[in-house]
Amino acid sequence: MNRLRVTSGPVLALVAGWLATRALMLGLLVFGSAHVLGGGSVSREVWRLYFHWYGVLSHGTFPTHDTLWQYPPGAGPVLLAPGLLSWLSYFEAFVLLTLVADAAVAVALAVAGRRAGRSLRGAALWVGGLPLLLHLPLARYDVQVTALGVAALLALGRSPRAAGVFGALGAVVKVWPALVLLGVSRGRATRSAWSWATAAGCASLAVLAVLFSDPFGFLREQGGRGVQIESLGGTALNLARHAGWPGRVRYQYGSMELVGPHVHTVAVASLALTAAAFVLLVVWRLRARHFSPATPYDAALTAVLLFTVTSRVISPQYLIWLLGLAAVCLTSRHTGQRPVTVLILVSTGLSSLIFPLTYGEVIAGTWPGCLLTLARNGTLLAAAVLSFVRLWRSTRPPVNASATRAVPDPGRVPDPVLTRS
């Protein structure tokens, strides 16, 4: 009975925290038309854009001639799902399903954190960290994608097959969950997780290709994207406007992008850095020798961080992915990513200051807008570098204990028995 009282208190606090913070997020969503909250720009993506796509998808085709459609085919079923709740409006159903996915992540992290040798810090990070993005998470489908990535990581310890399936389904919806299987320990677990991921991914793509026309048309639009104003390269170009760079901001491909001289060069450099990040992760994988229970979690966070900071686009909803992966890391007492999670929380708070609170300043390229994006992206870059360094060090071979014992201690008197032998 005493044990029940001790363990139930933190869980009840998490439940109360989730209810309070989500009520606040819903309140912000209701009053999102206020100028300080972006004038409705956050919720507009659901009731205008997602709902438009829902109408196209319901006829069995992807919106492939729409330059805003840049998502893998698995996004189709996610955007169609609100239609199952026919007694609600599309917007209401979408928000409700997002809250369900959010609650599922919190429950999964709490269940994992209550196991022996684990921690509830991960659940606390998710419950308390997501509201830093204000009401944005409720109006994007990134919470659903993050739920699949979290499920894949938490399933690894008990069922690599299930982890592979969850990872593949997440990748079919928004690509990045494919990275969560990067740190699976060598041997049978890797073969099982990756083979099941391949099979599940191919099967789901085949089903979507049968149900919808032109499922891979999104690649054309994705390839045409430029340098978004909030990316690392966009921040550099925005600062260059103060030094006389003649570029400007234009709305295209669903985001505010910079156009003008040298933009293409910056875009190519971003792609090159992404390729370099991939090579770096492959080198780590080949040289890693010591895998702890937290290594798959830490590797997933590192990989997504590296791909985020080198991307041509850094939207605020990307922080939802990072919060979910950081929360999984904190469920393990073996993780080396605790300092990284602090930087991610700081980046999350700064992201809300950028969008929606001061996005006009960012678009105009004022000093406050430039410095805010510089601070957010600088923090993210520091988190990515620190994350990789700590991952690399944690998986290096342990010091050879026998070699250490072979070094004589000059201050120790030799044992005559050992000396004679």
Side-chain angles (χ1 to χ4, degrees):
M1 184 63 71
N2 289 335
R3 181 176 179 272
L4 178 62
R5 283 196 295 267
V6 171
T7 58
S8 63
V11 174
L12 290 176
L14 286 172
V15 172
W18 189 89
L19 291 172
T21 54
R22 273 48 181 184
L24 177 61
M25 292 168 71
L26 282 170
L28 292 174
L29 194 63
V30 170
F31 296 103
S33 58
H35 177 73
V36 70
L37 295 175
S41 58
V42 173
S43 59
R44 190 180 302 126
E45 186 148 334
V46 178
W47 60 261
R48 179 180 293 179
L49 186 59
Y50 288 5
F51 184 60
H52 167 69
W53 286 340
Y54 168 81
V56 177
L57 290 163
S58 61
H59 289 88
T61 182
F62 287 100
T64 50
H65 297 295
D66 187 343
T67 58
L68 303 183
W69 179 257
Q70 303 150 14
Y71 306 105
V78 176
L79 297 178
L80 283 171
L84 299 174
L85 307 180
S86 56
W87 60 93
L88 298 174
S89 69
Y90 184 86
F91 183 83
E92 292 168 342
F94 182 89
V95 172
L96 177 59
L97 291 177
T98 304
L99 282 170
V100 170
D102 170 22
V105 173
V107 169
L109 291 168
V111 170
R114 284 169 62 90
R115 294 177 187 148
R118 305 296 283 270
S119 171
L120 286 171
R121 290 192 184 98
L125 176 69
W126 176 259
V127 170
L130 199 64
L132 292 176
L133 289 170
L134 306 179
H135 51 307
L136 178 78
L138 300 182
R140 300 292 185 272
Y141 77 91
D142 295 86
V143 172
Q144 290 88 323
V145 182
T146 303
L148 291 170
V150 168
L153 285 173
L154 294 180
L156 268 175
R158 298 192 173 191
S159 176
R161 295 178 178 180
V165 171
F166 281 124
L169 293 177
V172 171
V173 175
K174 212 163 189 180
V175 181
W176 69 262
L179 298 171
V180 302
L181 301 178
L182 180 69
V184 183
S185 58
R186 288 189 176 89
R188 184 176 180 181
T190 291
R191 291 192 297 271
S192 179
W194 290 6
S195 60
W196 276 77
T198 302
C202 291
S204 57
L205 287 174
V207 170
L208 290 168
V210 171
L211 297 177
F212 299 91
S213 62
D214 201 8
F216 302 106
F218 75 98
L219 293 172
R220 292 190 297 269
E221 312 305 336
Q222 187 63 244
R225 298 199 74 167
V227 179
Q228 190 231 17
I229 197 169
E230 296 173 62
S231 67
L232 224 62
T235 301
L237 289 172
N238 220 11
L239 284 168
R241 295 165 76 180
H242 292 275
W245 180 66
R248 56 192 176 85
V249 178
R250 177 193 297 169
Y251 181 76
Q252 57 187 16
Y253 293 96
S255 64
M256 305 304 296
E257 296 186 350
L258 289 152
V259 294
H262 313 300
V263 171
H264 179 70
T265 302
V266 173
V268 171
S270 296
L271 293 173
L273 287 173
T274 300
F278 178 75
V279 171
L280 204 60
L281 290 168
V282 170
V283 171
W284 165 80
R285 174 75 192 187
L286 294 174
R287 299 193 64 178
R289 292 293 180 268
H290 176 68
F291 285 75
S292 76
T295 299
Y297 307 161
D298 294 356
L301 178 59
T302 300
V304 176
L305 265 170
L306 287 173
F307 276 80
T308 297
V309 298
T310 58
S311 174
R312 293 171 294 171
V313 179
I314 302 181
S315 297
Q317 58 263 32
Y318 292 10
L319 275 297
I320 300 173
W321 318 341
L322 299 176
L323 284 171
L325 297 178
V328 175
C329 290
L330 290 188
T331 62
S332 174
R333 299 184 187 275
H334 299 278
T335 184
Q337 300 292 312
R338 291 187 187 91
V340 177
T341 62
V342 175
L343 294 175
I344 290 174
L345 283 173
V346 173
S347 301
T348 303
L350 290 171
S351 292
S352 290
L353 291 176
I354 294 170
F355 181 85
L357 299 182
T358 63
Y359 203 49
E361 300 288 329
V362 177
I363 294 173
T366 64
W367 276 114
C370 289
L371 292 177
L372 271 176
T373 54
L374 181 63
R376 195 278 304 272
N377 291 339
T379 306
L380 272 180
L381 180 60
V385 173
L386 179 62
S387 181
F388 182 79
V389 169
R390 293 181 75 87
L391 175 68
W392 182 277
R393 290 176 177 174
S394 69
T395 54
R396 298 305 298 152
V399 178
N400 191 323
S402 60
T404 302
R405 286 194 298 269
V407 178
D409 184 353
R412 179 181 175 185
V413 178
D415 189 314
V417 176
L418 294 177
T419 304
R420 285 196 300 269
S421 61

